[in-house]
Amino acid sequence: MSYRKKNRFSLKKSNVQTFLFFLLFTSMLWLFTQFSKNYTQEVEVTIKYTNIPKDRIVNAKSDQSLKMVLNGNGFRLIGHNWSKSILNFSVEDAFTTTSNKYSFFVNKETLLLNNKLDFKGKVLSIQKDTLELYLDYNLKKKVPVYAKRDIEYAVGYGSDQGLVLKPDSITVSGPSQIVDSINQVHTEKVDLKGLNVDHTAKLRINTEELPSDILVIPSRVDATVLVSKFTEGHQKVPITIRNAPDGMEIKIFPTEISVVYRVGLDKYNEVSPRDFVVIADYAKVSEESSFLTVELVEKPGAIHDVRLQEKQVQFVVLKQ
């Protein structure tokens, strides 16, 4: 590059730098001038109460924010624009107190309000001069957790226990009159299709079903489904007659019935006819009917999808 071209390039670069310097300088000067001016602005501050007794909780109808009009230069107001300021009030400073209500006086003329706001300007007006704090008793209670589920196993698979939650109950806490009405909580829905392997997950407690001022601990529970190979089993079980009238003998045909079920392969040999109780209740027979309805009233917990191959048996009444 020739000397003349180098010199021209250096001059252009120098001019750009000079221009940028003066642009930045004038911009900062303009901003400083603008922020030095006084402004009047409405702001909303958050109310925070401190030194609340451990067994009490803030009721939602308490004053939790306060609008006020401030006057000051831009530097003093900018902090209140960027984030909502917080006013702290200790329950010990309430000027009136009842069993569940505390009142606080807010005077815009005192320096105390400015100090709480950390504001060096003027407070021109406030939305209200008295803040009310209402306290409820904080109640904690254990409630059971239930999972909303839609589980389908692959063909030939199943689970002895199904979906198991741990822990199976959690603690809810909040205002006593609300907590008293909560008897259970639910998790988010579990949707599993074609399940053929063990499944574990963490499920979130569905707090959308609960009032906003209720706290749940823990907020998630562990969910487990232990999956195993399943097969079909069946047992011949004798039928027991119940409520036979005195002086009468009830004869039924057949005297035993097949119970069909699904069971895990590892439990298949553990199931026997002694684990079942099938009855025919004579007290439920309809007039002029020659059939008794059979019912399965006891079965082992390891089997699933249980059914009786017959729903009725014939009977005759023999007088003794």
Side-chain angles (χ1 to χ4, degrees), residues 195-253:
L195 192 62
N196 59 5
V197 294
D198 294 346
H199 175 80
T200 59
K202 281 194 173 291
L203 299 181
R204 178 180 55 84
I205 301 299
N206 189 357
T207 56
E208 295 175 1
E209 297 179 345
L210 302 172
S212 58
D213 46 1
I214 292 298
L215 179 66
V216 298
I217 300 176
S219 60
R220 294 176 182 269
V221 294
D222 294 320
T224 304
V225 184
L226 298 180
V227 178
S228 59
K229 272 278 192 180
F230 265 48
T231 188
E232 186 173 272
H234 61 87
Q235 300 287 342
K236 284 283 188 179
V237 180
I239 301 171
T240 302
I241 304 296
R242 288 188 180 176
N243 297 315
D246 292 337
M248 290 186 180
E249 181 182 359
I250 309 298
K251 292 289 187 179
I252 60 174
F253 178 80

Side-chain angles (χ1 to χ4, degrees), residues 26-39 75:
T26 54
S27 297
M28 292 180 63
L29 184 62
W30 180 85
L31 286 173
F32 182 81
T33 302
Q34 296 302 314
F35 276 94
S36 298
K37 295 179 181 179
N38 268 23
Y39 297 91
F75 293 107

Side-chain angles (χ1 to χ4, degrees), residues 246-291:
D246 292 337
M248 290 186 180
E249 181 182 359
I250 309 298
K251 292 289 187 179
I252 60 174
F253 178 80
T255 58
E256 58 182 15
I257 197 167
S258 289
V259 181
V260 183
Y261 51 87
R262 294 176 68 243
V263 63
L265 286 176
D266 56 336
K267 300 286 178 57
Y268 182 82
N269 292 324
E270 297 178 10
V271 182
S272 74
R274 295 187 301 273
D275 299 321
F276 300 87
V277 175
V278 177
I279 67 167
D281 191 348
Y282 186 79
K284 296 181 180 180
V285 69
S286 59
E287 291 184 11
E288 300 180 356
S289 174
S290 60
F291 292 92

Side-chain angles (χ1 to χ4, degrees), residues 79-90:
H80 297 279
N81 290 327
W82 283 351
S83 62
K84 186 178 287 190
S85 299
I86 297 176
L87 275 178
N88 291 295
F89 289 90
S90 170

